[in-house]
């Protein structure tokens, strides 16, 4: 009898242990982030801690990727069927990922999500524009808006106010260009990443925010756009900006601005932390870019989105969806956006103190409500859009700045390239 009771007791203990193991077992969610760095890594570690506390059945394996090779790693993982569960998802990558059928569609999931009504409709529209079928292939967390930044301390000392029109802007470029002392009004970006500044300027100058007509013909080689590019390049031709700016990428441009070499630069909302670090709060401010002199219209890049997508080949799809929803929730988005100085798209964040205390956010809100601001929809749906930027636009602009080619010649090349790509896309739909 004692032997029987011992066997039963051992069996009960064994079953209890198995039950405890089952209760403690966690399923892993693998998460790849496209720009792992000393700033972002601690932010995601905190977000993961919060998620795991809320959902103890999951544990997240965070893999920070280098920004200069993340897309290659995404593509390699897709090709070898070794994808993670969740990835960071940006507008510039959407076409490639969607065309490879690498990420899941979120439409049905989104409709059942309790925070769906809190997501800004304008941003959802931009996310859908990135997909050939108009589907929602990721959950947006923040958007990026093109904006101008000015050194309010320096400009205040000189009695200068931000230019409201292109004519006022050019006059300030001329007035405060001092090549002897190496100081200028404007920090020009002629190198990598110069597309947004160039398009915003020439399309505002032309007063037209359309890249294509209804038939798919590119409009960038219109007479007004050509004149706009010549005007833009004249800033460099006239020595109203540094000679080095022909190769300026973001790093050099923001360094000039941060050192007080220039007083004004055009970028987007994401450079806020750089200005805080270089100039200090209260010494700089954001402002809408100069407008067309005749119409008062400002043409600027459409909202850029950042969010998270779930891979079609995810091993833990259920957990991946929960993690993506958490990151896009008011709780997740608030922490991420506050730490990185981003513009949240979840309206549940808008009443929080940190958001209200950020004076830059009012400029973005006013800009979204301004009917004179017209948005340029970049054709991120084109598979060759990134190739166009690096192989056509960037060397083309530099050739104009160096007077190796004319503005008309370069814009004709850009228009021909984009017309062919757009018509091929329209035919394939």
């Amino acid at each position: 009898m004692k032997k029987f009771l011992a066997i039963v007791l051992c069996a009960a203990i064994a079953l209890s242990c198995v039950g405890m193991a089952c209760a403690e077992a966690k399923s892993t969610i693998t998460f790849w982030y496209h720009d792992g760095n000393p700033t972002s890594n601690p932010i995601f570690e905190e977000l993961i801690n919060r998620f795991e506390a809320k959902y103890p059945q999951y544990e997240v394996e965070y893999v920070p990727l280098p920004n200069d090779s993340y897309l290659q790693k995404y593509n390699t993982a897709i090709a070898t069927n070794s994808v993670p569960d969740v990835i960071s998802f940006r507008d510039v990558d959407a076409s490639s990922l969607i065309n490879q059928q690498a990420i899941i569609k979120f439409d049905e999931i989104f409709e059942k999500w309790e925070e769906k009504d809190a997501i800004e409709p304008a941003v959802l529209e931009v996310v859908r524009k990135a997909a050939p079928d108009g589907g929602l292939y990721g959950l947006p967390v923040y958007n990026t808006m093109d904006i101008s930044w000015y050194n309010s301390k320096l400009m205040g000392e000189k009695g200068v106010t931000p230019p409201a029109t292109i004519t006022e802007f050019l006059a300030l470029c001329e007035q405060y260009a001092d090549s002897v002392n190496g100081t200028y009004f404007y920090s020009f970006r002629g190198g990598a990443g110069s597309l947004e500044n160039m398009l915003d300027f020439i399309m505002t100058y032309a007063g037209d925010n359309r890249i294509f007509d209804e038939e798919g013909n590119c409009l960038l080689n219109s007479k007004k756009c050509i004149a706009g590019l010549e005007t833009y390049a004249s800033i460099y031709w006239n020595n109203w900006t540094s000679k080095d700016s022909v190769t300026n990428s973001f790093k050099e441009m923001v360094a000039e601005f941060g050192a007080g070499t220039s007083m004004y630069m055009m970028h987007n909302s994401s450079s806020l932390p750089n200005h805080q670090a270089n100039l200090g709060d209260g010494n700089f401010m954001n402002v809408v870019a100069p407008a067309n002199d005749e119409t008062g219209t400002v043409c600027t890049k459409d909202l850029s989105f950042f969010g998270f997508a779930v891979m079609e080949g995810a091993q833990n799809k259920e957990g991946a969806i929960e993690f993506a929803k958490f990151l896009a929730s008011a709780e997740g988005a608030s922490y991420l956006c506050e730490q990185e100085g981003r513009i949240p798209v979840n309206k549940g964040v808008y009443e929080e103190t940190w958001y209200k205390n950020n004076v830059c956010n009012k400029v973005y809100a006013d800009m979204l409500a301004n009917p004179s601001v017209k948005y340029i929809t970049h054709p991120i749906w084109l598979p060759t859009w990134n190739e166009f930027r690096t192989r056509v636009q960037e060397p083309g602009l530099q050739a104009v700045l160096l007077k190796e080619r004319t503005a008309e010649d370069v814009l004709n090349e850009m228009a021909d390239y984009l017309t062919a790509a757009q018509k091929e896309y329209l035919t394939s739909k």
Side-chain angles (χ1 to χ4, degrees):
M1 183 68 179
K2 289 181 179 179
K3 184 177 181 181
F4 175 76
L5 288 174
I7 292 172
V8 171
L9 182 60
C10 287
I13 292 171
L15 286 172
S16 175
C17 290
V18 169
M20 288 175 65
C22 290
E24 293 174 0
K26 297 175 182 289
S27 60
T28 300
I29 302 165
T30 307
F31 167 45
W32 287 9
Y33 180 64
H34 76 282
D35 187 18
N37 60 67
T39 300
S40 63
N41 292 341
I43 295 172
F44 282 105
E45 287 170 8
E46 172 61 24
L47 285 168
I48 289 167
N49 287 339
R50 294 186 184 190
F51 172 77
E52 290 176 344
K54 193 170 185 178
Y55 299 93
Q57 67 270 39
Y58 299 120
E59 62 180 3
V60 179
E61 180 184 309
Y62 173 58
V63 181
L65 301 177
N67 186 48
D68 59 356
S69 61
Y70 75 91
L71 193 55
Q72 179 184 348
K73 294 184 185 300
Y74 282 6
N75 290 332
T76 299
I78 294 166
T80 57
N81 296 316
S82 56
V83 297
D85 298 308
V86 180
I87 59 171
S88 48
F89 177 57
R90 305 192 304 156
D91 54 349
V92 293
D93 306 323
S95 175
S96 172
L97 293 167
I98 294 169
N99 288 336
Q100 293 181 80
Q101 299 181 330
I103 51 181
I104 71 168
K105 198 184 236 185
F106 260 93
D107 292 83
E108 291 185 12
I109 299 164
F110 182 77
E111 286 305 314
K112 296 175 183 177
W113 186 35
E114 60 271 17
E115 295 193 45
K116 69 180 179 69
D117 293 332
I119 306 300
E120 286 283 1
V123 179
L124 288 174
E125 182 182 351
V126 173
V127 180
R128 293 184 187 281
K129 282 180 184 177
D133 61 357
L136 190 67
Y137 284 86
L139 293 180
V141 173
Y142 61 75
N143 72 75
T144 302
M145 296 176 68
D146 275 19
I147 201 76
S148 290
W149 297 95
Y150 67 96
N151 188 319
S152 54
K153 181 181 179 182
L154 270 180
M155 288 175 62
E157 291 171 356
K158 296 178 183 297
V160 180
T161 56
T165 66
I166 287 178
T167 295
E168 290 178 11
F169 168 70
L170 295 172
L172 290 170
C173 287
E174 180 178 15
Q175 181 179 354
Y176 289 98
D178 184 354
S179 57
V180 174
N181 293 306
T183 58
Y184 305 89
F185 179 73
Y186 179 55
S187 187
F188 196 105
R189 184 173 186 172
S194 60
L195 176 76
E196 283 79 5
N197 287 9
M198 186 196 86
L199 285 187
D200 284 6
F201 186 95
I202 69 173
M203 296 180 80
T204 295
Y205 186 96
D208 190 349
N209 66 326
R210 299 173 303 154
I211 291 181
F212 300 105
D213 64 17
E214 293 180 358
E215 286 74 41
N217 298 302
C218 182
L219 304 172
L220 291 181
N221 60 343
S222 70
K223 290 183 178 179
K224 286 186 176 180
C225 281
I226 292 170
L229 182 52
E230 290 172 343
T231 303
Y232 188 56
S234 72
I235 299 170
Y236 185 79
W237 296 340
N238 293 331
N239 297 316
W240 295 346
T241 187
S242 68
K243 277 299 178 186
D244 293 337
S245 61
V246 67
T247 57
N248 271 6
S249 64
F250 170 77
K251 180 181 178 181
E252 292 78 23
M253 176 182 66
V254 80
E256 286 184 357
F257 182 69
T261 299
S262 68
M263 291 185 277
Y264 191 98
M265 62 171 273
M266 298 175 183
H267 186 241
N268 59 53
S269 52
S270 71
S271 56
L272 172 63
N274 299 87
H275 311 321
Q276 289 173 323
N278 293 336
L279 297 172
D281 287 327
N283 295 318
F284 67 91
M285 190 58 196
N286 59 345
V287 66
V288 179
N292 181 289
D293 284 85
E294 296 177 0
T295 65
T297 299
V298 175
C299 295
T300 187
K301 181 186 176 184
D302 210 342
L303 308 178
S304 297
F305 67 82
F306 169 88
F308 300 93
V310 172
M311 302 300 284
E312 191 63 61
Q315 297 297 304
N316 188 354
K317 200 168 284 186
E318 180 180 334
I321 290 169
E322 289 302 324
F323 185 53
K325 289 194 296 186
F326 172 78
L327 293 173
S329 69
E331 179 184 352
S334 177
Y335 183 77
L336 176 60
C337 293
E338 180 182 11
Q339 297 302 311
E340 290 199 346
R342 306 291 188 175
I343 308 171
V345 303
N346 190 314
K347 290 181 279 190
V349 181
Y350 296 173
E351 293 304 312
E352 296 195 18
T353 302
W354 77 263
Y355 180 85
K356 290 182 175 180
N357 287 346
N358 186 331
V359 293
C360 294
N361 287 331
K362 185 178 187 306
V363 177
Y364 301 129
D366 291 346
M367 187 172 167
L368 281 171
N370 187 346
S372 294
V373 177
K374 307 296 182 184
Y375 292 96
I376 306 165
T377 300
H378 287 205
I380 56 176
W381 55 84
L382 297 178
T384 55
W385 178 241
N386 284 336
E387 178 184 84
F388 166 77
R389 294 173 63 107
T390 57
R391 296 188 180 182
V392 181
Q393 182 271 325
E394 288 171 11
L397 173 61
Q398 289 179 329
V400 173
L401 297 178
L402 297 172
K403 295 189 174 181
E404 296 170 349
R405 297 174 66 187
T406 66
E408 182 176 7
D409 180 35
V410 165
L411 288 179
N412 279 336
E413 179 189 34
M414 292 184 190
D416 289 344
Y417 183 102
L418 290 177
T419 295
Q422 177 71 351
K423 290 193 172 182
E424 181 179 350
Y425 169 78
L426 293 173
T427 302
S428 66
K429 285 185 69 175

